[in-house]
Amino acid sequence: MALADNAGCAKPSEDFPFPEIIELNVGGQVYITRHPTLVSVPGSLLWEMFTQKNVRSLARDSKGRFFVDRDGFLFRYILDYMRDQQLVLPDHFPERSRLQREAEYFMLPELVKMLAPKLSKQNSLGDDPCQSDPEELSPSADATRTLTSASTTLPSAVAGGPGGAVTTGVGAASSDARRAGFITIGYRGSYTLGRDSQTDAKFRRVARIMVCGKTSLAKEVFGDTLNESRDPDRPPERYTSRYYLKFTFLEQAFDKLADAGFHMVACNSTGTCAFAHDQTDDRIWTSYTEYVFYRE
């Protein structure tokens, strides 16, 4: 929101061209902070931007706020670090690698070091609660899992004589890697139907496709097309209905679910009807529909 003129902040001058309170538009997200916070790390990109005297060289949006074309949701962690040079992330933070890339862009080398993966003495990733997705298996862990499953089925193969029991065990491990679960797809739709029932209905475009299910399953199926901006801090085993897709074609969502081995097991829909205008008999039908998919 824009600050009022009588907010009491210092006005810029020729020697000090920036006000005490600064409004930033970072990727569409508005932040309000103090000028000393933005210049608290010498040599950083924000320090370079807000210590120069040529204010006109900085990009601004339509409301006069300084504009930075970066991830607006991750910038809150950048700004928190600028305040006291400390890093505090929520548990099971899934955007660690992306935040590290933002730290590199804003030229914050100490923050980059804090976000770098930590290696233990065994040259493996340490127990860091802020790693991207603790449920994602590393290649070594996946190989261990496969060998464990194969060794479990090996005695039965010996007892039953020569055969393909070991191969079956490996196949079981690969199928077990694809976790079972439900994913629900929901959307709201509406259309207008005139007095003449033979007239073609006027359908409105699907505005948003919502996703409900385990965070890990949703990420696996939809990948980069899953918009996580509304709920970025969910751990992988938590269920969420706050995700939505970056496209508006139901068929595209169904294709991705089918490719991942999901099958539709149920659907339901509710609808309401209202007159479009008092002067006409045109009716607007509004519905909410959900499709439930399951993978064994």
PDB file of all heavy atoms in Angstrom, residues 90-108:
ATOM      1  N   PRO A  90      11.557 -21.546   7.950  1.00  0.00           N
ATOM      2  CA  PRO A  90      10.581 -22.470   8.562  1.00  0.00           C
ATOM      3  C   PRO A  90      11.022 -23.922   8.426  1.00  0.00           C
ATOM      4  O   PRO A  90      11.878 -24.252   7.587  1.00  0.00           O
ATOM      5  CB  PRO A  90       9.296 -22.199   7.763  1.00  0.00           C
ATOM      6  CG  PRO A  90       9.726 -21.520   6.522  1.00  0.00           C
ATOM      7  CD  PRO A  90      11.020 -20.851   6.787  1.00  0.00           C
ATOM      8  N   ASP A  91      10.453 -24.776   9.253  1.00  0.00           N
ATOM      9  CA  ASP A  91      10.767 -26.203   9.180  1.00  0.00           C
ATOM     10  C   ASP A  91      10.339 -26.763   7.830  1.00  0.00           C
ATOM     11  O   ASP A  91       9.326 -26.360   7.263  1.00  0.00           O
ATOM     12  CB  ASP A  91      10.050 -26.967  10.306  1.00  0.00           C
ATOM     13  CG  ASP A  91      10.576 -26.582  11.676  1.00  0.00           C
ATOM     14  OD1 ASP A  91      11.720 -26.082  11.734  1.00  0.00           O
ATOM     15  OD2 ASP A  91       9.852 -26.769  12.674  1.00  0.00           O
ATOM     16  N   HIS A  92      11.129 -27.716   7.314  1.00  0.00           N
ATOM     17  CA  HIS A  92      10.856 -28.379   6.030  1.00  0.00           C
ATOM     18  C   HIS A  92      10.739 -27.360   4.898  1.00  0.00           C
ATOM     19  O   HIS A  92       9.859 -27.470   4.042  1.00  0.00           O
ATOM     20  CB  HIS A  92       9.579 -29.214   6.111  1.00  0.00           C
ATOM     21  CG  HIS A  92       9.580 -30.202   7.233  1.00  0.00           C
ATOM     22  ND1 HIS A  92      10.344 -31.354   7.224  1.00  0.00           N
ATOM     23  CD2 HIS A  92       8.914 -30.201   8.430  1.00  0.00           C
ATOM     24  CE1 HIS A  92      10.136 -32.024   8.356  1.00  0.00           C
ATOM     25  NE2 HIS A  92       9.297 -31.341   9.101  1.00  0.00           N
ATOM     26  N   PHE A  93      11.603 -26.355   4.915  1.00  0.00           N
ATOM     27  CA  PHE A  93      11.564 -25.306   3.884  1.00  0.00           C
ATOM     28  C   PHE A  93      11.906 -25.906   2.524  1.00  0.00           C
ATOM     29  O   PHE A  93      12.992 -26.451   2.343  1.00  0.00           O
ATOM     30  CB  PHE A  93      12.565 -24.207   4.248  1.00  0.00           C
ATOM     31  CG  PHE A  93      12.559 -23.045   3.291  1.00  0.00           C
ATOM     32  CD1 PHE A  93      11.459 -22.220   3.199  1.00  0.00           C
ATOM     33  CD2 PHE A  93      13.658 -22.794   2.481  1.00  0.00           C
ATOM     34  CE1 PHE A  93      11.459 -21.148   2.326  1.00  0.00           C
ATOM     35  CE2 PHE A  93      13.660 -21.731   1.606  1.00  0.00           C
ATOM     36  CZ  PHE A  93      12.555 -20.892   1.527  1.00  0.00           C
ATOM     37  N   PRO A  94      10.994 -25.846   1.519  1.00  0.00           N
ATOM     38  CA  PRO A  94      11.220 -26.553   0.253  1.00  0.00           C
ATOM     39  C   PRO A  94      11.923 -25.736  -0.812  1.00  0.00           C
ATOM     40  O   PRO A  94      12.163 -26.234  -1.907  1.00  0.00           O
ATOM     41  CB  PRO A  94       9.791 -26.886  -0.193  1.00  0.00           C
ATOM     42  CG  PRO A  94       8.984 -25.728   0.306  1.00  0.00           C
ATOM     43  CD  PRO A  94       9.636 -25.273   1.584  1.00  0.00           C
ATOM     44  N   GLU A  95      12.244 -24.469  -0.539  1.00  0.00           N
ATOM     45  CA  GLU A  95      12.767 -23.586  -1.579  1.00  0.00           C
ATOM     46  C   GLU A  95      14.223 -23.202  -1.319  1.00  0.00           C
ATOM     47  O   GLU A  95      14.665 -22.131  -1.732  1.00  0.00           O
ATOM     48  CB  GLU A  95      11.908 -22.312  -1.657  1.00  0.00           C
ATOM     49  CG  GLU A  95      10.425 -22.561  -1.839  1.00  0.00           C
ATOM     50  CD  GLU A  95      10.090 -22.875  -3.268  1.00  0.00           C
ATOM     51  OE1 GLU A  95      11.001 -22.805  -4.107  1.00  0.00           O
ATOM     52  OE2 GLU A  95       8.926 -23.188  -3.550  1.00  0.00           O
ATOM     53  N   ARG A  96      14.979 -24.060  -0.646  1.00  0.00           N
ATOM     54  CA  ARG A  96      16.338 -23.700  -0.233  1.00  0.00           C
ATOM     55  C   ARG A  96      17.239 -23.393  -1.425  1.00  0.00           C
ATOM     56  O   ARG A  96      17.972 -22.402  -1.427  1.00  0.00           O
ATOM     57  CB  ARG A  96      16.934 -24.829   0.610  1.00  0.00           C
ATOM     58  CG  ARG A  96      18.212 -24.430   1.341  1.00  0.00           C
ATOM     59  CD  ARG A  96      18.737 -25.576   2.181  1.00  0.00           C
ATOM     60  NE  ARG A  96      19.878 -25.170   2.975  1.00  0.00           N
ATOM     61  CZ  ARG A  96      19.807 -24.642   4.178  1.00  0.00           C
ATOM     62  NH1 ARG A  96      18.621 -24.452   4.742  1.00  0.00           N
ATOM     63  NH2 ARG A  96      20.896 -24.293   4.840  1.00  0.00           N
ATOM     64  N   SER A  97      17.208 -24.232  -2.454  1.00  0.00           N
ATOM     65  CA  SER A  97      18.082 -24.012  -3.607  1.00  0.00           C
ATOM     66  C   SER A  97      17.692 -22.747  -4.358  1.00  0.00           C
ATOM     67  O   SER A  97      18.548 -22.007  -4.852  1.00  0.00           O
ATOM     68  CB  SER A  97      18.042 -25.224  -4.534  1.00  0.00           C
ATOM     69  OG  SER A  97      16.720 -25.458  -4.997  1.00  0.00           O
ATOM     70  N   ARG A  98      16.391 -22.470  -4.453  1.00  0.00           N
ATOM     71  CA  ARG A  98      15.948 -21.255  -5.129  1.00  0.00           C
ATOM     72  C   ARG A  98      16.331 -20.017  -4.328  1.00  0.00           C
ATOM     73  O   ARG A  98      16.712 -18.994  -4.901  1.00  0.00           O
ATOM     74  CB  ARG A  98      14.436 -21.293  -5.350  1.00  0.00           C
ATOM     75  CG  ARG A  98      13.985 -22.363  -6.338  1.00  0.00           C
ATOM     76  CD  ARG A  98      12.503 -22.318  -6.556  1.00  0.00           C
ATOM     77  NE  ARG A  98      12.076 -21.028  -7.067  1.00  0.00           N
ATOM     78  CZ  ARG A  98      10.794 -20.667  -7.184  1.00  0.00           C
ATOM     79  NH1 ARG A  98       9.846 -21.497  -6.798  1.00  0.00           N
ATOM     80  NH2 ARG A  98      10.473 -19.497  -7.664  1.00  0.00           N
ATOM     81  N   LEU A  99      16.236 -20.105  -2.997  1.00  0.00           N
ATOM     82  CA  LEU A  99      16.641 -18.977  -2.167  1.00  0.00           C
ATOM     83  C   LEU A  99      18.138 -18.734  -2.280  1.00  0.00           C
ATOM     84  O   LEU A  99      18.597 -17.581  -2.270  1.00  0.00           O
ATOM     85  CB  LEU A  99      16.239 -19.236  -0.716  1.00  0.00           C
ATOM     86  CG  LEU A  99      16.578 -18.124   0.278  1.00  0.00           C
ATOM     87  CD1 LEU A  99      15.942 -16.812  -0.137  1.00  0.00           C
ATOM     88  CD2 LEU A  99      16.126 -18.511   1.694  1.00  0.00           C
ATOM     89  N   GLN A 100      18.917 -19.797  -2.431  1.00  0.00           N
ATOM     90  CA  GLN A 100      20.353 -19.633  -2.627  1.00  0.00           C
ATOM     91  C   GLN A 100      20.639 -18.892  -3.931  1.00  0.00           C
ATOM     92  O   GLN A 100      21.528 -18.043  -3.999  1.00  0.00           O
ATOM     93  CB  GLN A 100      21.050 -20.997  -2.632  1.00  0.00           C
ATOM     94  CG  GLN A 100      22.578 -20.896  -2.734  1.00  0.00           C
ATOM     95  CD  GLN A 100      23.241 -22.271  -2.718  1.00  0.00           C
ATOM     96  OE1 GLN A 100      22.566 -23.295  -2.747  1.00  0.00           O
ATOM     97  NE2 GLN A 100      24.549 -22.295  -2.660  1.00  0.00           N
ATOM     98  N   ARG A 101      19.867 -19.201  -4.963  1.00  0.00           N
ATOM     99  CA  ARG A 101      20.029 -18.486  -6.228  1.00  0.00           C
ATOM    100  C   ARG A 101      19.670 -17.008  -6.081  1.00  0.00           C
ATOM    101  O   ARG A 101      20.327 -16.134  -6.662  1.00  0.00           O
ATOM    102  CB  ARG A 101      19.144 -19.141  -7.294  1.00  0.00           C
ATOM    103  CG  ARG A 101      19.300 -18.540  -8.685  1.00  0.00           C
ATOM    104  CD  ARG A 101      18.462 -19.305  -9.680  1.00  0.00           C
ATOM    105  NE  ARG A 101      17.037 -19.244  -9.334  1.00  0.00           N
ATOM    106  CZ  ARG A 101      16.103 -19.901  -9.990  1.00  0.00           C
ATOM    107  NH1 ARG A 101      16.419 -20.693 -10.994  1.00  0.00           N
ATOM    108  NH2 ARG A 101      14.832 -19.788  -9.625  1.00  0.00           N
ATOM    109  N   GLU A 102      18.628 -16.709  -5.285  1.00  0.00           N
ATOM    110  CA  GLU A 102      18.275 -15.313  -5.046  1.00  0.00           C
ATOM    111  C   GLU A 102      19.377 -14.602  -4.275  1.00  0.00           C
ATOM    112  O   GLU A 102      19.695 -13.441  -4.549  1.00  0.00           O
ATOM    113  CB  GLU A 102      16.954 -15.237  -4.270  1.00  0.00           C
ATOM    114  CG  GLU A 102      15.746 -15.757  -5.023  1.00  0.00           C
ATOM    115  CD  GLU A 102      15.483 -14.975  -6.287  1.00  0.00           C
ATOM    116  OE1 GLU A 102      15.294 -13.754  -6.209  1.00  0.00           O
ATOM    117  OE2 GLU A 102      15.485 -15.601  -7.374  1.00  0.00           O
ATOM    118  N   ALA A 103      19.994 -15.291  -3.306  1.00  0.00           N
ATOM    119  CA  ALA A 103      21.088 -14.696  -2.540  1.00  0.00           C
ATOM    120  C   ALA A 103      22.273 -14.383  -3.448  1.00  0.00           C
ATOM    121  O   ALA A 103      22.951 -13.359  -3.268  1.00  0.00           O
ATOM    122  CB  ALA A 103      21.500 -15.635  -1.410  1.00  0.00           C
ATOM    123  N   GLU A 104      22.531 -15.249  -4.413  1.00  0.00           N
ATOM    124  CA  GLU A 104      23.608 -14.982  -5.372  1.00  0.00           C
ATOM    125  C   GLU A 104      23.284 -13.757  -6.221  1.00  0.00           C
ATOM    126  O   GLU A 104      24.160 -12.926  -6.487  1.00  0.00           O
ATOM    127  CB  GLU A 104      23.821 -16.204  -6.256  1.00  0.00           C
ATOM    128  CG  GLU A 104      24.379 -17.418  -5.514  1.00  0.00           C
ATOM    129  CD  GLU A 104      24.395 -18.661  -6.367  1.00  0.00           C
ATOM    130  OE1 GLU A 104      23.846 -18.622  -7.490  1.00  0.00           O
ATOM    131  OE2 GLU A 104      24.948 -19.689  -5.921  1.00  0.00           O
ATOM    132  N   TYR A 105      22.031 -13.637  -6.632  1.00  0.00           N
ATOM    133  CA  TYR A 105      21.641 -12.482  -7.453  1.00  0.00           C
ATOM    134  C   TYR A 105      21.809 -11.178  -6.674  1.00  0.00           C
ATOM    135  O   TYR A 105      22.293 -10.177  -7.223  1.00  0.00           O
ATOM    136  CB  TYR A 105      20.191 -12.635  -7.922  1.00  0.00           C
ATOM    137  CG  TYR A 105      19.683 -11.434  -8.679  1.00  0.00           C
ATOM    138  CD1 TYR A 105      19.959 -11.275 -10.035  1.00  0.00           C
ATOM    139  CD2 TYR A 105      18.925 -10.451  -8.037  1.00  0.00           C
ATOM    140  CE1 TYR A 105      19.505 -10.162 -10.731  1.00  0.00           C
ATOM    141  CE2 TYR A 105      18.465  -9.348  -8.719  1.00  0.00           C
ATOM    142  CZ  TYR A 105      18.756  -9.197 -10.069  1.00  0.00           C
ATOM    143  OH  TYR A 105      18.294  -8.093 -10.751  1.00  0.00           O
ATOM    144  N   PHE A 106      21.400 -11.176  -5.404  1.00  0.00           N
ATOM    145  CA  PHE A 106      21.497  -9.957  -4.603  1.00  0.00           C
ATOM    146  C   PHE A 106      22.897  -9.763  -4.015  1.00  0.00           C
ATOM    147  O   PHE A 106      23.095  -8.874  -3.196  1.00  0.00           O
ATOM    148  CB  PHE A 106      20.453  -9.982  -3.485  1.00  0.00           C
ATOM    149  CG  PHE A 106      19.051  -9.715  -3.969  1.00  0.00           C
ATOM    150  CD1 PHE A 106      18.150 -10.756  -4.130  1.00  0.00           C
ATOM    151  CD2 PHE A 106      18.641  -8.437  -4.281  1.00  0.00           C
ATOM    152  CE1 PHE A 106      16.860 -10.529  -4.589  1.00  0.00           C
ATOM    153  CE2 PHE A 106      17.353  -8.190  -4.726  1.00  0.00           C
ATOM    154  CZ  PHE A 106      16.460  -9.238  -4.891  1.00  0.00           C
ATOM    155  N   MET A 107      23.849 -10.614  -4.424  1.00  0.00           N
ATOM    156  CA  MET A 107      25.251 -10.476  -4.038  1.00  0.00           C
ATOM    157  C   MET A 107      25.431 -10.463  -2.518  1.00  0.00           C
ATOM    158  O   MET A 107      25.963  -9.522  -1.940  1.00  0.00           O
ATOM    159  CB  MET A 107      25.863  -9.226  -4.682  1.00  0.00           C
ATOM    160  CG  MET A 107      25.876  -9.279  -6.204  1.00  0.00           C
ATOM    161  SD  MET A 107      26.815  -7.972  -7.019  1.00  0.00           S
ATOM    162  CE  MET A 107      25.849  -6.528  -6.573  1.00  0.00           C
ATOM    163  N   LEU A 108      24.947 -11.547  -1.906  1.00  0.00           N
ATOM    164  CA  LEU A 108      25.064 -11.734  -0.464  1.00  0.00           C
ATOM    165  C   LEU A 108      25.861 -13.009  -0.216  1.00  0.00           C
ATOM    166  O   LEU A 108      25.293 -14.082   0.023  1.00  0.00           O
ATOM    167  CB  LEU A 108      23.673 -11.826   0.173  1.00  0.00           C
ATOM    168  CG  LEU A 108      22.770 -10.596  -0.007  1.00  0.00           C
ATOM    169  CD1 LEU A 108      21.349 -10.907   0.431  1.00  0.00           C
ATOM    170  CD2 LEU A 108      23.329  -9.404   0.754  1.00  0.00           C
TER     171      LEU A 108
END
